Every structure is written in C-alpha cells, then in structure tokens.
Amino acid sequence: MNIWEMLAVFVAGISAGTINTIVGSGTLITFPVLLATGLPPVTATVSNALGLIPGSISGAIGYRAELTGQRPRVLRLSVAALVGGFTGAVLLLALPSTAFETIVPILVALALVLVILQPRISKAVQRRRDRDGAPAHPDGGPLLFVGLMLASVYGGYFTAAQGIIYLSLMGMLLDDTMQRLNAVKNVLAAIVNSIAALFFLFVADFDWTAVVLIAVGSAIGGQIGAKVGRRLSPTVLRVLIVAVGTVAIVQLLLR
C-alpha cells in the first residue's frame, strides 16, 4: 500500500469501529476500501475480521456499565456465537463466494422489519405472558440461542450487518432495553470475530499492514461509538439501525 491507501484503511477502521459499536455493518466500510487497495476478496475478508477484533473489544468495554447483571445471559449466548462463528469461518474457505450473496440481503431486510416492529412485537408477547402467567425467559430460550447461532454463522462468514440481526432477534425475544441489548451485541460480535480470525490464522493469508491499520483504527472507533451510542434514545437508535441496514442492503445488492 502507498501512504494514501494506508490512510484510507486507517480512517475506514475508525469509522467501522464506531458504527459497529453503535449498530453494526462496519465491514461495509472497511471491506470495499481493502478491495480498492488491490487485496483479493478472501484476503480482505480475513484481514478485516482480525483487524476488527480490537474495535469489538473496545466497544464492549465502553458498554461495560450496560453489561452489569447480564453475566449469565452473556455466557450462554456466547456459546452460540462461538459455535456459529467457527462454522461461518470454515464455510468461507469451503464454499464459493456466491453461496451467501443471495440470502444475505434477505436476512438483513428481515432483521430491519423486526427492528421496526420490535416495540409492537414485544408488547404483544408481554400481553400473552401476562395472560398465561408465564415469565419472560431471561436468556430468550432455545429460539434465541439457535437464532443467534445461525446469525453468527453468517458473522463468521462475512460479518456485515450481523449486529443488526443480533439486535433484531434479542429485541424480539428479550425483555430489556436497547442499550443493554446493544452491549450484549458488542460482546457477541467480539467473540465471532475472534474465533473466526483465530481459525484464519492457521489456514489463510493475511495482509498484516491492513490488519494493523484496521486494528488501531477500530479500537479508537470503538471508544467513540460507545460514547455516542450510549447517549442515543431507543427511538433514535432504532432509526439509526434501520438507516444503516438499508444502506447495507443496497451495497450488498450492488456488489
């Protein structure tokens, strides 16, 4: 890379770390920039996955106050993220690049619909629980576990918009605030990126210049995202998720 390409990757890392912490879909910023520097798609994907780990960890640390009291939930859902992330990483190297391209925009669109309808769905679910006398499952039950595991398979494969899918699933099945769910999302994203990158270390080629630039940039962005995201109201956060997700769908369809 020349100096301008390195600067572009670094700025993309900051932007991705910021938006990943608040919503998700930061890969839609870094991935095209890496391709523009001349990296092959698989090399760009694995380098991006490794570089975004510090950003995910930084964002999770920034949201540590919202993680208070969620340890059992995080531990249980982390298993789903671990299994799904590893599976997705294996599929990236085993399947042709076109395998997920058709279904990914559909998944993101469905996630956005769930995010929009989440308040109504949550109220309907709560009314049914009150009628039946059944308390909300603190971890979302088997349905959330399986849903997050499947979302993590996609996350280990490509990562773009996985945070939006996580938030839509948790928002529908957990009785909690968007900010606390966002904190859990950041932890799960860190786990998926980490397990995928660990696998790639043994079987794929990295561009270490890109990895370092994205790592430093995303770590800075993670702290920025935590400061900004924690101040957003649930409505504003939901609107931002939908806006970013819509851009993600358009970009995925145009790839």
Side-chain angles (χ1 to χ4, degrees):
M1 296 186 193
N2 60 43
I3 186 66
W4 296 111
E5 289 174 336
M6 293 173 66
L7 180 61
V9 172
F10 178 66
V11 172
I14 295 176
S15 302
T18 302
I19 197 171
N20 274 342
T21 302
I22 300 174
V23 181
S25 298
T27 290
L28 295 177
I29 298 174
T30 50
F31 187 69
V33 172
L34 292 177
L35 292 181
T37 66
L39 293 183
V42 173
T43 302
T45 299
V46 298
S47 300
N48 182 65
L50 184 57
L52 288 178
I53 292 175
S56 299
I57 296 173
S58 177
I61 292 173
Y63 267 89
R64 60 189 179 278
E66 285 75 13
L67 288 170
T68 302
Q70 297 200 78
R71 181 183 177 88
R73 173 187 291 173
V74 170
L75 289 177
R76 184 172 188 273
L77 298 181
S78 293
V79 176
L82 190 68
V83 174
F86 178 77
T87 303
V90 173
L91 290 177
L92 174 65
L93 300 182
L95 296 178
S97 61
T98 56
F100 277 31
E101 288 180 359
T102 301
I103 195 172
V104 166
I106 298 174
L107 289 175
V108 178
L110 178 60
L112 293 183
V113 172
L114 293 177
V115 169
I116 295 171
L117 297 179
Q118 186 261 327
R120 294 186 179 182
I121 294 173
S122 296
K123 290 179 180 178
V125 171
Q126 187 59 50
R127 284 196 298 269
R128 181 172 181 179
R129 287 172 182 152
D130 293 340
R131 186 179 68 247
D132 298 339
H137 197 295
D139 298 328
L143 183 59
L144 181 60
F145 185 90
V146 173
L148 289 179
M149 183 167 64
L150 293 176
S152 297
V153 171
Y154 163 63
Y157 185 91
F158 185 54
T159 77
Q162 75 177 93
I164 293 173
I165 300 175
Y166 285 161
L167 286 172
S168 68
L169 291 172
M170 291 190 291
M172 184 175 61
L173 297 171
L174 293 175
D175 184 17
D176 215 330
T177 67
M178 286 291 288
Q179 292 292 359
R180 281 170 57 82
L181 297 183
N182 201 30
V184 176
K185 177 264 293 180
N186 287 330
V187 174
L188 299 181
I191 291 172
V192 170
N193 283 342
S194 297
I195 189 62
L198 182 62
F199 172 74
F200 294 145
L201 278 174
F202 294 97
V203 297
D205 294 323
F206 290 85
D207 185 295
W208 289 104
T209 300
V211 170
V212 171
L213 291 171
I214 292 177
V216 176
S218 67
I220 296 171
Q223 289 301 300
I224 297 173
K227 293 182 183 300
V228 174
R230 294 175 69 191
R231 298 175 181 174
L232 299 178
S233 69
T235 300
V236 173
L237 182 57
R238 191 171 286 109
V239 170
L240 183 59
I241 291 170
V242 173
V244 173
T246 301
V247 174
I249 292 173
V250 173
Q251 187 165 342
L252 288 167
L253 289 174
L254 294 177
R255 283 183 62 227

